[in-house]
Amino acid sequence: MTFEQVALELRQLNEKVPKPLRLPSEHEVAGAESRLGVSFHPEFRRYLLELSDVVFGPFEPVTLTIPDSHTHLARVATHAWSDWGVPRDLIPICHDNADFYCVTKDGDVVFWSHDMHDLSGEKWSSVKHWIKDVWIEETKSF
């Protein structure tokens, strides 16, 4: 399974919304890295640049283009790091109540549980696998 295959499947599931999101520019992604003081893994960067405008199901992964949004990456990351103790080397990709799916520096996606105040042990080997296994498949099972 390639990123392109997962992206195509997710795009086909994109829901029509009254005010569609727009994708960020490379400049906006670089600005987010600078503001957060991190470097994004290439596959997470690709998600932001190519898929962060998709709306599908109950999962609401991070976005960059609407600063006041509850899904804005800076807001989600600050909340995760400051309020819930998620380590700063984990970059949230999706907030799920008080739990977070996070990208590691190596590109894995891990699940941070607020109940455990630690990683739950759930792990995906890449952003594309998280998109396929969690965002797409779990949403289809609802």
Side-chain angles (χ1 to χ4, degrees):
M1 160 183 65
T2 66
F3 188 91
E4 290 79 13
Q5 290 169 319
V6 172
L8 178 61
E9 183 176 357
L10 186 61
R11 279 259 165 242
Q12 291 171 341
L13 297 167
N14 193 17
E15 299 169 7
K16 292 187 186 283
V17 294
K19 287 187 166 189
L21 299 170
R22 72 170 175 81
L23 290 170
S25 67
E26 180 64 45
H27 179 74
E28 288 170 309
V29 172
E33 285 179 308
S34 178
R35 279 188 299 285
L36 293 173
V38 298
S39 293
F40 298 148
H41 185 272
E43 199 167 270
F44 180 57
R45 173 182 288 278
R46 192 163 179 194
Y47 155 76
L48 290 169
L49 290 166
E50 298 178 25
L51 294 171
S52 64
D53 64 334
V54 171
V55 175
F56 173 60
F59 291 100
E60 296 181 294
V62 295
T63 60
L64 283 180
T65 58
I66 304 173
D68 293 335
S69 173
H70 67 283
T71 61
H72 191 267
L73 176 57
R75 180 178 288 207
V76 174
T78 299
H79 180 60
W81 296 335
S82 299
D83 299 340
W84 291 103
V86 174
R88 284 193 56 86
D89 64 335
L90 299 178
I91 301 169
I93 189 172
C94 188
H95 181 252
D96 185 17
N97 294 317
D99 298 324
F100 300 88
Y101 294 94
C102 302
V103 180
T104 69
K105 65 180 177 177
D106 297 325
D108 296 328
V109 176
V110 295
F111 186 73
W112 175 271
S113 167
H114 77 280
D115 289 331
M116 297 170 60
H117 295 285
D118 204 348
L119 297 175
S120 71
E122 290 181 83
K123 182 178 176 180
W124 298 264
S125 61
S126 65
V127 171
K128 74 179 174 208
H129 285 98
W130 178 84
I131 291 171
K132 176 66 175 165
D133 296 346
V134 177
W135 194 1
I136 293 174
E137 296 303 326
E138 285 190 26
T139 297
K140 284 181 174 179
S141 69
F142 286 140

